[in-house]
Structures are given as C-alpha cells and as structure tokens.
Amino acid sequence: MRQSFSYALLITWVLISVSCKTYFVQESYETKNISVSEDAGVLDSSIVNLYLPYKQLLEKDMNRVISFSNEEMVKEKPESNLTNFLADLLLEQGGIEAKNQGLDIVPVVSFFNYGGIRSTLPKGNITVGNIYEIMPFENEMVYVVINGSKMQEFLDYVAEKGGDSLGGARFKIKDNKAANATINGEVIKAEKSYCVVTNDYVAAGGDGLNAFQNPEQLINSGAKIRDVLIAYLEQKQKDNETILVKPDGRISYE
C-alpha cells in the first residue's frame, strides 16, 4: 500500500536535524521585555534550505490526482453521498484487509464518526490533498466484535445523533431510537456476534460511544484509514472507474 508524505513527519525530521548541537545547562536566568520586530517570524535560511526539497516533494504528492467524482460529495444527516461512500468503502476494504491478514472475522457493519469527516470531496479530480483535508487524523482501522444487544445500543446511539456514516445496517429513526434495524437484511439477534470495522478513536470510546467498550474482540489492523482510502481511490482510477454514490435510505425518519 502506497503511503503519502506526512507534514508532521517532515517537520519533526527538520527539527531533529537542526537541533543536533551541544546542550548547555542553565544555572540562573533573568527576565526583561524584548521588542518583537517584523522579522521575528522569518525562518532561518539554513532551515528553509533543509526542508525545501522535501516540501516540494510533499506538495507534488498532495496535488497528485487519484480519482474522479461525478459530483461534489458533502456530509449531511441522516445520510448523504459522502457519509455513505466512506462507510461502504470502509466495509469493503475492511473485509479485504481482514482476509489478507488471515483474521477469523468478517465485518458486517462499518462506522465513520461524523465529526471526524472534516471536509468535502469535490466534483471532478480528487487529489491526495483532498483526502488529507477530509481526514487529517492518524486514525487506524480496527475491528470490534460485539453481541446483538450492544449492536442495538450502538445503532440507537447513531439514531440519537440524527444519523451518521454507517454501512451494512439499515433502520428508521423513531423517538431517537433505531427502529426496525437490520444487518444485511436480517433482524438483529441479541446473542449473535457482529463485527464492526471502524477507527481506533471511537473504538476507545471517543465521541461518547460506549457500545464498543468491553467487546468480545478488539483487533487493530495496523492500517491507517487515510491510506486505505487513498489506495482504494487509486485502484478505482486504474480500473477507469469514477465515483458516483447516492443516498439509499439506509437511515431515515419514520
């Protein structure tokens, strides 16, 4: 899987490189006011010269076109083309990754937390930079195995939020609860085990999601969700496939 350059890694490398000098122990100090000139924010030329080649490589990668969308994709509740696209992608790729790793699990539901989707995807060319904008966090893809009772609790959480980025499940929002919920067209059974592919943030209880706590299994894939998304779009481009996703009624109000 191809990984894109990281701004954080670049900056860290530069700071380490320019800081490998002799250290002195300060035994006393005094304070005084110092006027700030207009040049105070200007970077030392040696630092600029050091990171400039890497900055140019980074910008080149950020501008690299990896797919094409027939329309702008934005997030909306209870569902939208963007939230459905991300959820369906995660469910599909989560299944492939689990199989590739030889894991004895098959994800049947996927979940992206709404607040973690930070931008839109434009109509037309989609670049690596667009993916960094929509998903700036270093979240990893994880698998959470829970029983049907916790699954219903999780879907009720989504319903109370007014919808979210959800794949594999369908329900009606009634009195802030998930009514008539199904997974792959089947009614949820309380004692049955279900695997959810999501990110490590919500798996750890982020955004107040408690249904994933104390699961039957918690498996970290080791894959960054952003890298999974980039690789998926690159493959679509190689296959000459454009992105076209529509709301399908998976989450609606009764």
Side-chain angles (χ1 to χ4, degrees), residues 37-50:
S37 70
E38 293 181 356
D39 297 329
V42 179
L43 286 175
D44 183 272
S45 60
S46 62
I47 298 178
V48 173
N49 292 334
L50 186 63

Side-chain angles (χ1 to χ4, degrees), residues 2 5 56 65 89 93 99 122 133 148 156 170 182 189 201 206 212 216 225 228 231 239:
R2 177 173 182 170
F5 292 104
Q56 292 170 341
V65 176
L89 181 159
Q93 297 304 109
K99 183 178 181 180
E133 290 171 358
D156 285 340
R170 301 177 69 91
T182 60
K189 298 179 181 178
Y201 171 70
F212 293 160
E216 295 177 7
I225 289 183
V228 171
D239 296 339

Side-chain angles (χ1 to χ4, degrees), residues 171-175 177-180 251-254:
F171 63 83
K172 301 282 188 181
I173 300 177
K174 181 180 180 181
D175 299 326
K177 299 289 185 180
N180 304 318
I251 305 176
S252 60
Y253 282 92
E254 188 170 81

